[in-house]
Amino acid sequence: MGKYAVTFPTIFGTFFVLASLNLYALDLKSTLHESLNTNPEIKQKYQELSAAYHELDISRSGYLPKLDVRSSIAKERANTQMTGFESRSFKTVNTNITLSQNLFSGFMTDSEMRVKRHNIQMKSFEYDEKVNDLSLRLIKGYLDVLKAHELLEVERDNSKTHEKIYQKISLRLESGGGRVADHKEALAKLSLSYVNTLTQDNNYNDAANILHTLTGHYLDIKTLQKPSINSSLLPRTLEEAMEDAIQKNVSVMVGQSEVESAKESVDLERSTYYPKVDAELNSRTYDNANGTGNIDKTAAAMVTLSYNLYNGGGDEARVKRSLSQTYNAMEHLRSLKRDVMEKMAIAYNAYTVFNRQKPFLDLYREANFDKTHFYHEEFDLGRRSLIDLLDSENEYSTARRKAIENEYDLLYSFFRVLAAKNELVSYFNIETDKESGMKSTDPIPSNSEFAPSVGEYPMIPTLKMNTQEINLPKAEGNVTSQSVTQDQKGYGYHLKAARSGDLQSQCKLVYLYEQGIGTVKNTDKALYWKKRCVPKPKAAFVSPPKEKAKSLDERLKELGILLEESQKGR
């Protein structure tokens, strides 16, 4: 074999670098529970809520009396009648004790208490909002790791398939029965499959690092479990979904608390329009006043009233400022409602579309699996070109990728709908300080009811037949007849369908030829169709072979592809 100027990275499958790190085996619920209890953003919101409670205690102190003690020691020098008009120096001790109680402050303390209570409510909703947002980010990171890993397995399988094709073409070329152009084509497709594998490997590492940032540690990919969907929690219509979002979304609740707090702030500023009334008890002791050596004691009980008549328009300006802040909060609430409705509409429509796409993508994947199987047989018989075979393999990999992406997009859109109506945390039964308030709804239609009818897609006339469950024979010598409708029992129908690759009809023909139903008995034809009536593994459940990971250099050496030292990318 010749040397090809193709550059490949040295190590194939670099994601194994994570194997040396500390891994944790957690499912999605455990991951959420641990992360929500340790995430610094959540702890920050908790401290803000705690500070709001302390601010309420500060405002509550306005209802209680105040006790002040003031004592002073001074050295004085005086020349007065008490000193005989002589300049004398002496020390004095002055002690003053005052007990005061506010009787009326223009309802300032009451208004301030209401403002602080609304602030506590707002901080509580902000805490829930942060928990909800972080939970959705964690779920997305968790699903992205699972999706990236499955897509990586698809690319690996595709690379291994292209390796087998390349080996087959190389043997043909060496034996003189192949063409150089086919060999170059196989090499080009193999090289591209390696590039795609390494690109997806990098995507997997990126997803793992993002999840590490959110959780604080790496998770063992082998123990990650795909979450399930409970469609009964979803609203039946988009209008119902948007109504739930407006009523339950924590961002809207934060906006509502902000409006109420701003309204109470207006009353708080208006308290300066009223007089203030205070009751006061005062006791004063003056030792050695004017150097006489005597102790003077006085006591007083009084009620004081203070009323500001003019403050330069500052009080009125503060009231107008509070009114503007109230209107601003109201407009912000309107904007929040629009944003929440938009997010819910996007999430609900995405779930509906992905749900409708699912049966077609499953059919697309299964049809390409069968097509690739037949293309390999026809290629060996010389009825298909190499281009047809390679394109078939690439299209099958594309079908697998689209099915995987649809599955995880459907999962994520489901959790987005729950997050939009503040039911994300309660779905996993994670303990929180507030009740979820989840309201049960009627179940939405199943996947088959969401999907369009066959009449909307006339180019897929066999959709209904292919999506039915096929009961495959348990053994070659025990072929059971399938439950089909009366108009499908004809021998000619099954023969035509079997030649088109329908597995159900192929199995049925074995029974018809053995029993002579609709045609003469023919054991040879029965044996022919029995060999084709073999259960094929579903593409979604194909598990990669457990083998030791090989470097790219080892793989290339097995394929006979030699690289120069300057091309190895070391």
Side-chain angles (χ1 to χ4, degrees):
M1 302 293 294
K3 295 183 179 180
Y4 301 99
V6 183
T7 302
F8 295 105
T10 303
I11 302 300
F12 184 75
T14 57
F15 85 100
F16 286 103
V17 69
L18 298 178
S20 61
L21 303 175
N22 293 328
L23 300 178
Y24 292 77
L26 295 173
D27 58 7
L28 181 54
K29 178 180 178 180
S30 302
T31 302
L32 286 173
H33 185 268
E34 179 178 342
S35 299
L36 293 179
N37 289 331
T38 58
N39 189 273
E41 297 181 21
I42 301 297
K43 290 184 174 294
Q44 179 183 358
K45 288 298 180 180
Y46 177 79
Q47 294 302 328
E48 291 180 3
L49 177 60
S50 178
Y53 277 104
H54 293 314
E55 290 180 358
L56 181 64
D57 294 335
I58 295 173
S59 300
R60 188 180 289 111
S61 66
Y63 292 127
L64 303 178
K66 295 179 176 59
L67 180 63
D68 298 293
V69 177
R70 184 176 184 274
S71 182
S72 62
I73 299 176
K75 184 176 181 180
E76 300 182 10
R77 184 178 182 85
N79 185 358
T80 63
Q81 183 178 1
M82 301 297 296
T83 61
F85 297 105
E86 296 180 357
S87 179
R88 296 175 54 188
S89 299
F90 51 88
K91 293 183 180 180
T92 60
V93 178
N94 186 12
T95 303
N96 191 3
I97 301 176
T98 303
L99 177 65
S100 59
Q101 172 66 58
N102 176 261
L103 302 179
F104 180 72
S105 60
F107 311 104
M108 177 182 292
T109 304
D110 295 338
S111 299
E112 189 174 357
M113 287 287 290
R114 290 193 295 269
V115 170
K116 300 304 181 183
R117 288 192 179 98
H118 286 297
N119 287 343
I120 290 176
Q121 189 179 43
M122 183 171 61
K123 293 299 180 182
S124 177
F125 289 140
E126 287 180 353
Y127 176 84
D128 294 339
E129 182 182 27
K130 179 60 67 174
V131 169
N132 192 63
D133 292 344
L134 181 61
S135 299
L136 187 60
R137 288 165 54 195
L138 282 167
I139 290 173
K140 186 179 187 303
Y142 191 95
L143 294 178
D144 284 347
V145 170
L146 287 173
K147 179 175 70 173
H149 184 263
E150 290 192 24
L151 292 176
L152 179 58
E153 293 301 322
V154 171
E155 297 299 340
R156 286 177 174 166
D157 293 341
N158 189 40
S159 295
K160 292 177 181 178
T161 301
H162 280 81
E163 287 176 359
K164 294 178 181 178
I165 296 175
Y166 177 78
Q167 290 174 337
K168 185 182 298 186
I169 298 300
S170 298
L171 291 176
R172 287 188 179 183
L173 183 62
E174 291 175 357
S175 62
R179 294 180 297 183
V180 177
D182 288 345
H183 184 263
K184 296 289 186 180
E185 179 70 21
L187 177 62
K189 295 295 185 181
L190 175 61
S191 303
L192 182 60
S193 70
Y194 285 152
V195 172
N196 293 337
T197 301
L198 294 172
T199 300
Q200 185 56 43
D201 175 55
N202 182 67
N203 294 338
Y204 170 76
N205 286 330
D206 290 345
N209 287 325
I210 292 175
L211 185 60
H212 170 264
T213 302
L214 294 173
T215 61
H217 50 255
Y218 290 100
L219 302 182
D220 188 356
I221 186 64
K222 297 180 181 179
T223 62
L224 299 187
Q225 299 179 1
K226 191 180 302 182
S228 60
I229 291 180
N230 185 1
S231 59
S232 63
L233 299 179
L234 297 180
R236 293 172 296 181
T237 62
L238 178 59
E239 290 74 16
E240 183 179 344
M242 298 176 74
E243 182 179 354
D244 286 347
I246 293 298
Q247 295 177 355
K248 301 177 182 179
N249 189 274
V250 283
S251 298
V252 175
M253 296 179 182
V254 170
Q256 292 173 344
S257 299
E258 185 181 4
V259 171
E260 295 300 325
S261 178
K263 289 180 180 179
E264 297 296 342
S265 296
V266 176
D267 293 336
L268 178 61
E269 297 297 343
R270 284 175 177 167
S271 64
T272 57
Y273 292 162
Y274 297 91
K276 295 183 180 179
V277 180
D278 298 284
E280 184 177 305
L281 296 177
N282 182 273
S283 175
R284 180 181 179 184
T285 301
Y286 202 174
D287 187 5
N288 195 25
N290 295 320
T292 61
N294 298 326
I295 298 177
D296 297 338
K297 295 183 178 180
T298 60
M302 65 189 78
V303 175
T304 61
L305 183 146
S306 59
Y307 192 16
N308 176 262
L309 299 179
Y310 181 70
N311 193 24
D315 295 338
E316 183 178 1
R318 278 188 285 270
V319 171
K320 291 181 179 180
R321 179 189 62 183
S322 296
L323 287 172
S324 297
Q325 291 174 346
T326 302
Y327 294 138
N328 177 68
M330 294 173 66
E331 295 301 325
H332 183 227
L333 176 59
R334 291 178 59 193
S335 177
L336 285 175
K337 289 182 177 180
R338 291 185 178 184
D339 292 341
V340 167
M341 293 173 66
E342 178 185 359
K343 291 180 180 179
M344 173 57 85
I346 293 175
Y348 189 84
N349 290 333
Y351 176 84
T352 303
V353 171
F354 291 139
N355 208 13
R356 289 176 175 176
Q357 290 177 346
K358 190 176 187 306
F360 294 101
L361 288 173
D362 291 341
L363 176 64
Y364 178 51
R365 180 190 58 204
E366 294 173 4
N368 274 282
F369 177 80
D370 293 337
K371 183 187 73 173
T372 304
H373 173 73
F374 288 119
Y375 269 37
H376 274 277
E377 293 182 355
E378 294 172 359
F379 177 74
D380 293 337
L381 295 175
R383 298 177 181 176
R384 288 288 176 182
S385 66
L386 177 63
I387 299 297
D388 294 337
L389 182 61
L390 294 176
D391 290 344
S392 175
E393 287 291 348
N394 289 333
E395 188 173 4
Y396 174 55
S397 297
T398 300
R400 291 181 62 187
R401 283 193 295 268
K402 287 183 176 294
I404 291 172
E405 291 171 353
N406 172 266
E407 181 179 10
Y408 284 99
D409 289 342
L410 180 64
L411 279 170
Y412 182 56
S413 61
F414 168 74
F415 290 120
R416 286 173 62 192
V417 173
L418 293 185
K421 59 186 188 134
N422 196 29
E423 294 180 358
L424 189 58
V425 176
S426 61
Y427 178 77
F428 293 96
N429 295 323
I430 298 178
E431 295 182 359
T432 57
D433 296 334
K434 298 173 66 66
E435 295 181 357
S436 63
M438 183 173 58
K439 180 177 67 174
S440 61
T441 58
D442 295 333
I444 62 174
S446 62
N447 291 348
S448 59
E449 295 178 1
F450 265 128
S453 63
V454 180
E456 296 180 44
Y457 293 84
M459 298 302 296
I460 313 179
T462 59
L463 172 66
K464 188 173 182 180
M465 179 186 68
N466 288 343
T467 54
Q468 291 178 346
E469 184 69 17
I470 298 176
N471 298 320
L472 300 177
K474 298 182 179 179
E476 288 187 357
N478 184 21
V479 180
T480 60
S481 62
Q482 308 296 325
S483 298
V484 294
T485 57
Q486 278 291 343
D487 56 351
Q488 294 177 332
K489 288 185 178 180
Y491 162 75
Y493 167 81
H494 287 295
L495 181 60
K496 183 178 179 181
R499 289 174 177 174
S500 300
D502 183 64
L503 182 62
Q504 183 179 3
S505 295
Q506 291 173 355
C507 296
K508 182 64 177 179
L509 279 178
V510 178
Y511 176 76
L512 296 179
Y513 278 120
E514 288 179 344
Q515 301 297 325
I517 300 176
T519 183
V520 295
K521 289 185 179 182
N522 193 323
T523 56
D524 292 336
K525 291 185 178 181
L527 181 61
Y528 170 81
W529 289 112
K530 184 182 292 186
K531 291 180 179 180
R532 291 185 172 271
C533 179
V534 178
K536 300 174 185 177
K538 295 293 183 180
F541 301 99
V542 174
S543 58
K546 296 182 179 179
E547 59 180 11
K548 184 179 179 181
K550 298 180 181 179
S551 68
L552 186 57
D553 290 339
E554 293 174 342
R555 290 180 177 270
L556 295 176
K557 185 177 180 180
E558 292 178 357
L559 298 174
I561 302 176
L562 303 179
L563 301 179
E564 297 179 357
E565 290 297 327
S566 61
Q567 297 172 338
K568 292 185 178 181
R570 293 194 173 117

